Amino acid sequence: MGEQEGLKFYRCNTCGNLFFVMIDPDVRPTCCGNDMEILDHIHGSEGNEKHAPIIEINQNDTEVQVGLQLHPMAPEHRIEWIALTDGDRVEIQKLGLTTPPVVKFSKMSDKGRVRAYSFCNIHGLWQSEK
Ligand SMILES: [Fe+2]
């Protein structure tokens, strides 16, 4: 996979649709007649402690929490969804308007790298791996 390992996420700026690309990184999805916008992963330390997903692999599930300091959840500023993948499987959880950004996913394979993504409606897409 190109310069960016893991999943690529795209958003439709017209209808808000969300796509992810798992297999072919060169594919350019379209929606509502337009190319979709790729969501770039945010790098850097500013905002990291409220946005970077923290992955906890337990015996029977995998828990992801957004932010060492939990990200606020309010209609105007919130985490819209959290995704988790082990490379072979993807799970995405949409969050309610005020649901705390902590989600239990299935147990992920420990063969490879597990990656988590969180999407803030203001601060964009964040990724971490374990
Ligand atoms: Fe945010």
Side-chain angles (χ1 to χ4, degrees):
M1 296 187 108
E3 76 293 344
Q4 191 167 278
E5 293 273 315
L7 300 176
K8 288 187 171 184
F9 292 91
Y10 291 82
R11 183 174 51 182
C12 173
N13 285 327
T14 304
C15 74
N17 215 351
L18 174 72
F19 274 38
F20 68 85
V21 174
M22 191 176 183
I23 306 290
D24 180 355
D26 296 324
V27 112
R28 293 269 173 86
T30 61
C31 189
C32 297
N34 296 307
D35 287 344
M36 296 177 84
E37 178 194 10
I38 189 161
L39 299 175
D40 288 317
H41 299 170
I42 309 287
H43 295 287
S45 55
E46 201 178 327
N48 206 52
E49 65 182 27
K50 277 195 185 154
H51 291 93
I54 297 168
I55 305 166
E56 177 98 36
I57 298 174
N58 302 317
Q59 190 123 28
N60 300 312
D61 59 38
T62 307
E63 193 169 290
V64 178
Q65 147 173 352
V66 178
L68 204 53
Q69 242 184 292
L70 270 195
H71 189 280
M73 293 298 279
E76 64 280 5
H77 181 200
R78 63 196 192 90
I79 300 300
E80 291 187 3
W81 49 264
I82 302 173
L84 186 70
T85 181
D86 60 11
D88 293 329
R89 178 159 39 137
V90 181
E91 293 187 14
I92 300 179
Q93 177 70 55
K94 272 175 73 183
L95 299 180
L97 284 181
T98 57
T99 315
V102 182
V103 173
K104 274 193 200 306
F105 293 93
S106 308
K107 171 115 175 110
M108 290 285 140
S109 159
D110 52 13
K111 283 187 299 187
R113 212 164 277 179
V114 174
R115 290 187 169 91
Y117 304 83
S118 61
F119 183 72
C120 170
N121 67 327
I122 292 180
H123 301 108
L125 182 67
W126 297 72
Q127 180 195 346
S128 62
E129 55 188 51
K130 187 154 195 167

PDB file of all heavy atoms in Angstrom, residues 50-51 71-72 77-79 120-124 126, ligand 1:
ATOM      1  N   LYS A  50      -6.679  14.226  23.002  1.00  0.00           N
ATOM      2  CA  LYS A  50      -8.140  14.134  22.975  1.00  0.00           C
ATOM      3  C   LYS A  50      -8.655  13.363  21.762  1.00  0.00           C
ATOM      4  O   LYS A  50      -9.848  13.071  21.684  1.00  0.00           O
ATOM      5  CB  LYS A  50      -8.748  15.537  22.943  1.00  0.00           C
ATOM      6  CG  LYS A  50      -8.852  16.167  24.305  1.00  0.00           C
ATOM      7  CD  LYS A  50      -9.786  17.358  24.252  1.00  0.00           C
ATOM      8  CE  LYS A  50      -9.791  18.064  25.591  1.00  0.00           C
ATOM      9  NZ  LYS A  50     -10.154  19.478  25.444  1.00  0.00           N
ATOM     10  N   HIS A  51      -7.783  13.050  20.800  1.00  0.00           N
ATOM     11  CA  HIS A  51      -8.274  12.460  19.550  1.00  0.00           C
ATOM     12  C   HIS A  51      -7.698  11.100  19.193  1.00  0.00           C
ATOM     13  O   HIS A  51      -8.343  10.329  18.500  1.00  0.00           O
ATOM     14  CB  HIS A  51      -8.002  13.409  18.376  1.00  0.00           C
ATOM     15  CG  HIS A  51      -8.825  14.646  18.420  1.00  0.00           C
ATOM     16  ND1 HIS A  51      -8.386  15.792  19.012  1.00  0.00           N
ATOM     17  CD2 HIS A  51     -10.067  14.900  17.953  1.00  0.00           C
ATOM     18  CE1 HIS A  51      -9.328  16.720  18.908  1.00  0.00           C
ATOM     19  NE2 HIS A  51     -10.364  16.210  18.277  1.00  0.00           N
ATOM     20  N   HIS A  71     -12.587  12.495  24.470  1.00  0.00           N
ATOM     21  CA  HIS A  71     -13.019  13.594  23.603  1.00  0.00           C
ATOM     22  C   HIS A  71     -14.432  14.024  23.998  1.00  0.00           C
ATOM     23  O   HIS A  71     -15.282  13.190  24.280  1.00  0.00           O
ATOM     24  CB  HIS A  71     -13.006  13.118  22.148  1.00  0.00           C
ATOM     25  CG  HIS A  71     -13.227  14.221  21.175  1.00  0.00           C
ATOM     26  ND1 HIS A  71     -14.482  14.715  20.896  1.00  0.00           N
ATOM     27  CD2 HIS A  71     -12.356  14.932  20.419  1.00  0.00           C
ATOM     28  CE1 HIS A  71     -14.358  15.686  19.997  1.00  0.00           C
ATOM     29  NE2 HIS A  71     -13.082  15.840  19.696  1.00  0.00           N
ATOM     30  N   PRO A  72     -14.725  15.335  23.995  1.00  0.00           N
ATOM     31  CA  PRO A  72     -16.090  15.779  24.305  1.00  0.00           C
ATOM     32  C   PRO A  72     -17.091  15.306  23.257  1.00  0.00           C
ATOM     33  O   PRO A  72     -16.731  15.109  22.095  1.00  0.00           O
ATOM     34  CB  PRO A  72     -15.992  17.312  24.301  1.00  0.00           C
ATOM     35  CG  PRO A  72     -14.675  17.659  23.721  1.00  0.00           C
ATOM     36  CD  PRO A  72     -13.806  16.441  23.740  1.00  0.00           C
ATOM     37  N   HIS A  77     -19.555  19.423  18.281  1.00  0.00           N
ATOM     38  CA  HIS A  77     -18.167  18.946  18.277  1.00  0.00           C
ATOM     39  C   HIS A  77     -18.137  17.567  18.904  1.00  0.00           C
ATOM     40  O   HIS A  77     -18.366  17.425  20.100  1.00  0.00           O
ATOM     41  CB  HIS A  77     -17.270  19.915  19.063  1.00  0.00           C
ATOM     42  CG  HIS A  77     -15.821  19.489  19.077  1.00  0.00           C
ATOM     43  ND1 HIS A  77     -14.921  19.951  20.013  1.00  0.00           N
ATOM     44  CD2 HIS A  77     -15.118  18.658  18.251  1.00  0.00           C
ATOM     45  CE1 HIS A  77     -13.732  19.414  19.777  1.00  0.00           C
ATOM     46  NE2 HIS A  77     -13.825  18.617  18.722  1.00  0.00           N
ATOM     47  N   ARG A  78     -17.873  16.566  18.068  1.00  0.00           N
ATOM     48  CA  ARG A  78     -17.972  15.209  18.584  1.00  0.00           C
ATOM     49  C   ARG A  78     -17.204  14.232  17.703  1.00  0.00           C
ATOM     50  O   ARG A  78     -16.814  14.564  16.590  1.00  0.00           O
ATOM     51  CB  ARG A  78     -19.439  14.769  18.634  1.00  0.00           C
ATOM     52  CG  ARG A  78     -20.074  14.715  17.257  1.00  0.00           C
ATOM     53  CD  ARG A  78     -21.597  14.674  17.351  1.00  0.00           C
ATOM     54  NE  ARG A  78     -22.178  14.340  16.052  1.00  0.00           N
ATOM     55  CZ  ARG A  78     -22.439  13.110  15.632  1.00  0.00           C
ATOM     56  NH1 ARG A  78     -22.191  12.079  16.401  1.00  0.00           N
ATOM     57  NH2 ARG A  78     -22.939  12.896  14.449  1.00  0.00           N
ATOM     58  N   ILE A  79     -17.034  13.036  18.216  1.00  0.00           N
ATOM     59  CA  ILE A  79     -16.489  11.937  17.425  1.00  0.00           C
ATOM     60  C   ILE A  79     -17.673  11.289  16.705  1.00  0.00           C
ATOM     61  O   ILE A  79     -18.621  10.861  17.355  1.00  0.00           O
ATOM     62  CB  ILE A  79     -15.765  10.915  18.334  1.00  0.00           C
ATOM     63  CG1 ILE A  79     -14.601  11.577  19.088  1.00  0.00           C
ATOM     64  CG2 ILE A  79     -15.247   9.724  17.509  1.00  0.00           C
ATOM     65  CD1 ILE A  79     -13.521  12.174  18.203  1.00  0.00           C
ATOM     66  N   CYS A 120     -13.308  12.988  14.113  1.00  0.00           N
ATOM     67  CA  CYS A 120     -13.900  14.148  14.792  1.00  0.00           C
ATOM     68  C   CYS A 120     -14.494  15.067  13.733  1.00  0.00           C
ATOM     69  O   CYS A 120     -13.835  15.340  12.719  1.00  0.00           O
ATOM     70  CB  CYS A 120     -12.819  14.877  15.595  1.00  0.00           C
ATOM     71  SG  CYS A 120     -13.365  16.476  16.230  1.00  0.00           S
ATOM     72  N   ASN A 121     -15.711  15.550  13.946  1.00  0.00           N
ATOM     73  CA  ASN A 121     -16.360  16.382  12.926  1.00  0.00           C
ATOM     74  C   ASN A 121     -15.616  17.697  12.698  1.00  0.00           C
ATOM     75  O   ASN A 121     -15.801  18.334  11.672  1.00  0.00           O
ATOM     76  CB  ASN A 121     -17.832  16.648  13.282  1.00  0.00           C
ATOM     77  CG  ASN A 121     -17.989  17.520  14.513  1.00  0.00           C
ATOM     78  OD1 ASN A 121     -17.181  17.457  15.434  1.00  0.00           O
ATOM     79  ND2 ASN A 121     -19.023  18.324  14.537  1.00  0.00           N
ATOM     80  N   ILE A 122     -14.778  18.097  13.617  1.00  0.00           N
ATOM     81  CA  ILE A 122     -14.018  19.342  13.438  1.00  0.00           C
ATOM     82  C   ILE A 122     -12.544  19.076  13.166  1.00  0.00           C
ATOM     83  O   ILE A 122     -11.947  19.703  12.305  1.00  0.00           O
ATOM     84  CB  ILE A 122     -14.173  20.243  14.690  1.00  0.00           C
ATOM     85  CG1 ILE A 122     -15.623  20.727  14.755  1.00  0.00           C
ATOM     86  CG2 ILE A 122     -13.194  21.424  14.648  1.00  0.00           C
ATOM     87  CD1 ILE A 122     -15.935  21.609  15.925  1.00  0.00           C
ATOM     88  N   HIS A 123     -11.962  18.121  13.866  1.00  0.00           N
ATOM     89  CA  HIS A 123     -10.505  17.935  13.797  1.00  0.00           C
ATOM     90  C   HIS A 123     -10.059  16.767  12.929  1.00  0.00           C
ATOM     91  O   HIS A 123      -8.879  16.439  12.894  1.00  0.00           O
ATOM     92  CB  HIS A 123      -9.945  17.794  15.214  1.00  0.00           C
ATOM     93  CG  HIS A 123     -10.232  18.995  16.063  1.00  0.00           C
ATOM     94  ND1 HIS A 123     -11.155  18.989  17.086  1.00  0.00           N
ATOM     95  CD2 HIS A 123      -9.737  20.257  16.003  1.00  0.00           C
ATOM     96  CE1 HIS A 123     -11.215  20.203  17.630  1.00  0.00           C
ATOM     97  NE2 HIS A 123     -10.367  20.973  16.990  1.00  0.00           N
ATOM     98  N   GLY A 124     -11.013  16.094  12.257  1.00  0.00           N
ATOM     99  CA  GLY A 124     -10.647  15.126  11.242  1.00  0.00           C
ATOM    100  C   GLY A 124     -10.314  13.730  11.750  1.00  0.00           C
ATOM    101  O   GLY A 124     -10.713  13.331  12.847  1.00  0.00           O
ATOM    102  N   TRP A 126      -8.095  10.489  12.864  1.00  0.00           N
ATOM    103  CA  TRP A 126      -6.907  10.151  13.677  1.00  0.00           C
ATOM    104  C   TRP A 126      -6.720   8.643  13.654  1.00  0.00           C
ATOM    105  O   TRP A 126      -7.692   7.892  13.585  1.00  0.00           O
ATOM    106  CB  TRP A 126      -7.116  10.634  15.109  1.00  0.00           C
ATOM    107  CG  TRP A 126      -7.253  12.127  15.181  1.00  0.00           C
ATOM    108  CD1 TRP A 126      -8.330  12.851  14.755  1.00  0.00           C
ATOM    109  CD2 TRP A 126      -6.288  13.059  15.636  1.00  0.00           C
ATOM    110  NE1 TRP A 126      -8.073  14.188  14.926  1.00  0.00           N
ATOM    111  CE2 TRP A 126      -6.833  14.344  15.471  1.00  0.00           C
ATOM    112  CE3 TRP A 126      -5.003  12.931  16.184  1.00  0.00           C
ATOM    113  CZ2 TRP A 126      -6.139  15.493  15.823  1.00  0.00           C
ATOM    114  CZ3 TRP A 126      -4.319  14.083  16.551  1.00  0.00           C
ATOM    115  CH2 TRP A 126      -4.884  15.342  16.366  1.00  0.00           C
TER     116      TRP A 126
HETATM  117 FE    FE B   1     -12.134  17.304  18.206  1.00  0.00          FE
END
